[in-house]
Amino acid sequence: MLIEIIAIGSELLNAGRVDTNSIWIAERLGELGLELTLKTCVGDDTATLKACIVNALERADIIITTGGLGPTFDDQTKESFAEIIGVPMFKDDQVRAKIDNFFQAGRVVTENNYKQALIPKGAEAIHNPLGTAPGIYWTNLPSHPKCKIIMLPGVPKEMMAIWEGEIHSRLKGLAGQSNKTMRFVVGGRGESLLDEKTLPIRELHSHLQWTILAPKTHVEFLVRSKSEKDLQSVRKDMENALGDDLICVGSGQPETILLDMLVERGETVALAESVSGGILASRLASQPGASRAFAGGVVAYTPIAKTMLVGVATDFIDTHGTVGNAITIEMAERIRKKMETTWGIAITGNAGPSIDPNSSSQNGANQIGRCYIAVAGRSGTTCQSRDIHGDRADIQLRATNWAIDMLRRLL
C-alpha cells in the first residue's frame, strides 16, 4: 500500500521551519501498521500543487494533505482536488453553522470564512473541534475509486485533533491487511549505543521489518510483522536486553509514562529549573491530567531568583556558586519542601553559547554544556552531572530528557 503526504505551505520551504505535521502523521501511521512511502512539500502555488496532486493520484492508495484549507486566497487544496477530479464544490450547511457558532463570542465573522464550508461533491467534511476549517475524507472518487484522500488543516493542534478524533479509527481497519507494528520507547541511551545493543536481537529476528528512530526526547524501535506470535517473541527479547532503558512498549512518551508512574504510586513532583528555563515544566504540564502528579515549579534563572523563589540562602550561593552539585541538591531539596511534594527536581548548568556573567561555580562547573540534575525524595537526594553536546536549544532539551529519565529510573 502506497501512502503519500503532500505538505502544503510556502512557509515550509523557508529556512528555520520544520514540517512537524508529516513527522507526526508518519509516527501515527506506523502505530497502525501502515508505512509512509513518499512525502512532497509544496508552496502555496496552485499550479504546482495541482501537478503534485495529479502525480499522487496516479501512484498512491492513500493521499494525506496538510494545509491549504483556510479562508484566505492562497488556501486552494480542496479546490485543486475538485478541479482535477472533475466535481463541483457544494456548501455544507452544517460546517457553515459551526463557523457561525465559533464566532459567536463577540468576534466578527468575515465572508471569506464561509469559504471553509465549501466541500468537493462526494467528499465528507470532518469536524474540527479546535478551529473552523474542517478536515476532508474522500473515498470512491469517480476517476480513482481505489484511492482515499484525507485533507487536514496545517495548524498542528487542529490536525492532531482531527486525526485522533476521526482519521485513526477510519484507517485502523486497514492495518489488518498489512503488518502490525510494535513500538519500543527507550530513554537514557544514545541511538548508536542502542543500535549496537539490540543487534543480536535484530539478527535473530531478521525476517521482521525494523526501524530505529531518534526524536529529540528518546529513541524508539518499530518492529513490523503479520504474526502476533513473532512480535511477542521480539517483545520478550527486547525487554530482557533493554532492562530499565525501556520506557514503554506501545504508545507513550517519556513525560506521559513518568506522570502515569507517579499517579499510580500516589506521588507528586515539583521543579526548580535554571538552565532549562521551564522546558521541563512545560513538557509535564502539556499532558492531560498532569496536575494529578505535577504540583508546579519555578524558573530560578538568576541568583536572586534562586533565593527568592526557591529559598536558597545568599551565603550558600556565595560559597557554592549558582551551578554545580551543591546548589542543585539544595534547590531540589528546598523546592520539594516548599511545595510539600514526594519528589523535587532541580536543573542547573550552562547552555551557552558563552559563560553567563550571573553564574558562578567551583572547579569549572559552569563550562558550556555541563548540566547538573538533582532528584530529592524521602530517602535522600541523587545528583548527577553530564556534559551535553549541541547548541543552546539541544542542551536545554536534553537536560530535561535526562531529568525525566532519572526520576523514572528511581521510581
Side-chain angles (χ1 to χ4, degrees):
M1 180 178 293
L2 197 155
I3 303 176
E4 179 170 349
I5 290 177
I6 304 176
I8 302 158
S10 296
E11 70 277 5
L12 300 177
L13 303 177
N14 296 329
R17 292 297 297 269
V18 178
D19 174 24
T20 57
N21 284 343
S22 296
I23 297 171
W24 189 89
I25 291 171
E27 291 176 348
R28 303 293 81 75
L29 288 170
E31 292 169 2
L32 289 169
L34 302 171
E35 187 172 0
L36 178 65
T37 311
L38 181 66
K39 185 189 90 167
T40 303
C41 191
V42 59
D44 296 310
D45 177 78
T46 304
T48 308
L49 172 59
K50 287 179 179 178
C52 291
I53 291 173
V54 168
N55 290 334
L57 285 168
E58 292 303 317
R59 62 193 173 214
D61 300 292
I62 300 176
I63 302 171
I64 302 170
T65 69
T66 62
L69 300 181
T72 58
F73 67 91
D74 57 347
D75 293 312
Q76 293 293 318
T77 302
K78 295 178 297 183
E79 293 81 355
S80 296
F81 270 105
E83 183 177 332
I84 291 168
I85 293 169
V87 299
M89 304 283 283
F90 75 96
K91 182 181 70 175
D92 189 310
D93 291 331
Q94 288 186 337
V95 175
R96 186 181 175 98
K98 289 174 183 176
I99 292 172
D100 286 331
N101 290 335
F102 187 87
F103 282 92
Q104 275 184 349
R107 291 175 292 179
V108 178
V109 54
T110 56
E111 188 62 31
N112 60 350
N113 278 283
Y114 293 123
K115 174 175 175 286
Q116 297 167 111
L118 295 175
I119 308 298
K121 184 178 180 179
E124 177 187 356
I126 304 297
H127 174 57
N128 179 349
L130 301 179
T132 55
I136 302 293
Y137 191 78
W138 199 355
T139 60
N140 300 316
L141 280 66
S143 54
H144 298 78
K146 294 184 180 180
C147 183
K148 299 181 190 298
I149 296 174
I150 300 166
M151 303 181 220
L152 300 169
V155 179
K157 65 179 182 179
E158 296 182 24
M159 178 275 297
M160 294 175 187
I162 293 175
W163 183 279
E164 292 173 345
E166 291 284 347
I167 304 304
H168 175 90
S169 59
R170 295 172 187 239
L171 297 184
K172 192 172 184 179
L174 300 178
Q177 303 170 19
S178 58
N179 290 336
K180 301 175 182 179
T181 299
M182 184 168 284
R183 176 176 179 258
F184 299 88
V185 180
V186 189
R189 301 286 182 258
E191 182 183 17
S192 57
L193 187 150
L194 290 169
D195 177 66
E196 187 175 87
K197 189 174 185 178
T198 59
L199 178 60
I201 298 172
R202 288 182 285 112
E203 289 179 337
L204 179 63
H205 300 278
S206 60
H207 59 294
L208 306 183
Q209 296 179 25
W210 288 82
T211 303
I212 183 171
L213 303 172
K216 291 186 176 181
T217 58
H218 61 276
V219 174
E220 58 186 69
F221 292 88
L222 301 178
V223 189
R224 298 182 179 88
S225 174
K226 290 183 173 67
S227 168
E228 182 64 27
K229 182 178 179 180
D230 281 351
L231 292 177
Q232 292 304 323
S233 178
V234 169
R235 176 172 184 159
K236 181 179 178 181
D237 292 341
M238 289 287 279
E239 288 176 341
N240 289 336
L242 294 171
D244 288 343
D245 293 343
L246 182 62
I247 295 175
C248 69
V249 180
S251 61
Q253 305 295 326
E255 50 265 50
T256 62
I257 299 303
L258 175 62
L259 288 168
D260 287 344
M261 294 173 74
L262 288 167
V263 170
E264 185 178 346
R265 296 162 62 103
E267 298 179 351
T268 54
V269 63
L271 311 175
E273 297 183 71
S274 181
V275 65
S276 52
I279 294 173
L280 179 54
S282 177
R283 289 178 64 179
L284 296 180
S286 67
Q287 305 306 314
S291 61
R292 294 177 298 162
F294 175 42
V298 299
V299 178
Y301 205 67
T302 62
I304 192 170
K306 290 175 173 62
T307 298
M308 296 185 69
L309 300 177
V310 187
V312 181
T314 54
D315 59 350
F316 188 95
I317 294 175
D318 291 341
T319 301
H320 298 284
T322 57
V323 176
N325 281 295
I327 185 66
T328 313
I329 291 171
E330 181 76 358
M331 289 171 64
E333 292 176 347
R334 286 191 173 274
I335 198 65
R336 174 179 177 264
K337 183 177 180 180
K338 183 182 284 286
M339 298 291 291
E340 299 181 348
T341 53
T342 317
W343 301 94
I345 297 178
I347 309 175
T348 71
N350 185 358
S354 60
I355 300 296
D356 183 350
N358 290 316
S359 71
S360 58
S361 67
Q362 295 180 341
N363 302 319
N366 63 343
Q367 70 183 52
I368 297 170
R370 180 164 296 175
C371 293
Y372 297 79
I373 313 289
V375 180
R378 295 189 185 102
S379 59
T381 304
T382 301
C383 187
Q384 297 179 4
S385 66
R386 185 174 300 179
D387 292 332
I388 303 176
H389 301 288
D391 62 18
R392 184 176 178 83
D394 289 333
I395 293 168
Q396 291 176 313
L397 180 62
R398 288 173 182 170
T400 66
N401 293 344
W402 173 25
I404 290 172
D405 203 58
M406 274 185 67
L407 181 52
R408 179 187 68 83
R409 290 173 188 267
L410 285 169
L411 296 178

